[in-house]
Amino acid sequence: KLTSLTTLRLYDNELTGLLPTELGNLALLTLDMYKNSFIGPVPTELGNLTSLAKLRLYDNKLTGLLPIELGNLVLLTTLEIDKNNLNGPVPPELGLLTMLKSLDMLSNSFTGPLPSELMKLVSLTKLRLNDNHLTGPLPTELGNLASIQVLDLSDNQINGTLPTELGNLSLLESFKIHNNSLTGLLPMELGDLSSLTLFNVHTNAGLCGFNPVTATSPDSDNDNELDVQGTKIGYQCTGCMEDNI
């Protein structure tokens, strides 16, 4: 019953079985159950934890769809569910979590397009959805993530072009979108990203064009890193090159 409990941390143990649905009866602010061996779905009852600020379930063996009820957690600032076996689409309801600052969903089996509703998360500083099965083009609303510093969408099947609106992300420091199926030219607006220190677009065979980023090649001693291997991008030319660098 523990009606006064606000913090529950059971991380980095050898706990197994299902996450108990009764967790939804608590008045938690922090729930840390990461680095265990929990199986089965994320309980829909977690959506009852409307005071919850931090939910960390990463590095378990959770399966199934991510419940849309998590959209009820409007005070949530941290959601880390990476390194599980979750599948299905990314719930658009996550776009209701307007206080969210960190969203880690990497290394699962999420499918479908990146929902444009996520682009309403203007407080978000970190978004990592790499190593999933996301498809479709990037939403132009990606340029609305005014606070984003770390954006990792690598190792998916994202196609289409890079939106010019990415040039609006003035605080972006790390952008990884390698190992996808992007095509077209790099938008010149990327040259406006004065905070960018890591830009990784390698292995997008259809992506080409002039490199607009103030960075150097990966072999340089410069602190900035540019990785474009397997992508047809030239350092001193516009348009596509015949040979990859």
Side-chain angles (χ1 to χ4, degrees):
K1 295 183 179 179
L2 300 176
T3 54
S4 299
L5 189 68
T6 60
T7 299
L8 179 58
R9 290 176 171 150
L10 288 167
Y11 61 88
D12 202 8
N13 284 291
E14 298 179 6
L15 300 176
T16 60
L18 302 174
L19 288 171
T21 59
E22 291 82 1
L23 287 171
N25 298 331
L26 301 175
L28 294 174
L29 303 178
T30 298
L31 177 58
D32 285 339
M33 308 287 276
Y34 57 87
K35 289 189 177 180
N36 283 289
S37 296
F38 288 113
I39 61 172
V42 176
T44 59
E45 288 80 2
L46 293 185
N48 298 332
L49 302 176
T50 53
S51 298
L52 196 65
K54 295 181 181 180
L55 176 58
R56 291 181 278 221
L57 303 175
Y58 66 87
D59 208 354
N60 278 286
K61 299 177 181 179
L62 299 172
T63 57
L65 303 177
L66 194 63
I68 62 174
E69 287 80 3
L70 294 186
N72 298 332
L73 308 181
V74 294
L75 299 182
L76 205 64
T77 62
T78 300
L79 177 57
E80 298 175 356
I81 54 170
D82 44 301
K83 299 177 183 176
N84 281 288
N85 297 307
L86 299 168
N87 56 39
V90 176
E93 288 78 7
L94 295 183
L96 299 173
L97 308 180
T98 55
M99 296 187 66
L100 204 60
K101 294 183 177 180
S102 178
L103 178 55
D104 276 338
M105 302 175 67
L106 61 135
S107 299
N108 281 286
S109 295
F110 290 112
T111 57
L114 188 65
S116 60
E117 287 82 359
L118 289 187
M119 308 309 122
K120 299 176 182 178
L121 303 179
V122 295
S123 297
L124 202 62
T125 61
K126 181 175 67 171
L127 174 59
R128 298 196 298 178
L129 270 160
N130 50 296
D131 194 19
N132 279 287
H133 303 292
L134 300 179
T135 57
L138 293 173
T140 58
E141 294 88 350
L142 200 59
N144 296 339
L145 297 178
S147 301
I148 200 74
Q149 298 174 15
V150 176
L151 179 58
D152 194 343
L153 301 172
S154 59
D155 295 297
N156 283 287
Q157 290 99 49
I158 296 170
N159 56 31
T161 60
L162 286 174
T164 59
E165 289 80 3
L166 288 172
N168 299 334
L169 305 180
S170 59
L171 300 180
L172 188 62
E173 299 175 1
S174 175
F175 181 31
K176 298 180 182 180
I177 196 162
H178 54 278
N179 286 333
N180 277 285
S181 301
L182 296 172
T183 57
L185 297 175
L186 280 176
M188 294 299 294
E189 288 79 3
L190 293 179
D192 297 329
L193 302 180
S194 58
S195 299
L196 195 64
T197 60
L198 174 57
F199 178 53
N200 193 335
V201 292
H202 74 73
T203 319
N204 282 282
L207 193 63
C208 58
F210 178 75
N211 162 36
V213 181
T214 307
T216 58
S217 71
D219 296 328
S220 171
D221 293 330
N222 193 291
D223 289 337
N224 290 355
E225 181 180 348
L226 173 68
D227 192 348
V228 295
Q229 295 179 4
T231 300
K232 297 179 180 179
I233 298 175
Y235 283 101
Q236 297 179 347
C237 71
T238 56
C240 298
M241 299 178 65
E242 292 297 327
D243 299 319
N244 295 351
I245 62 172

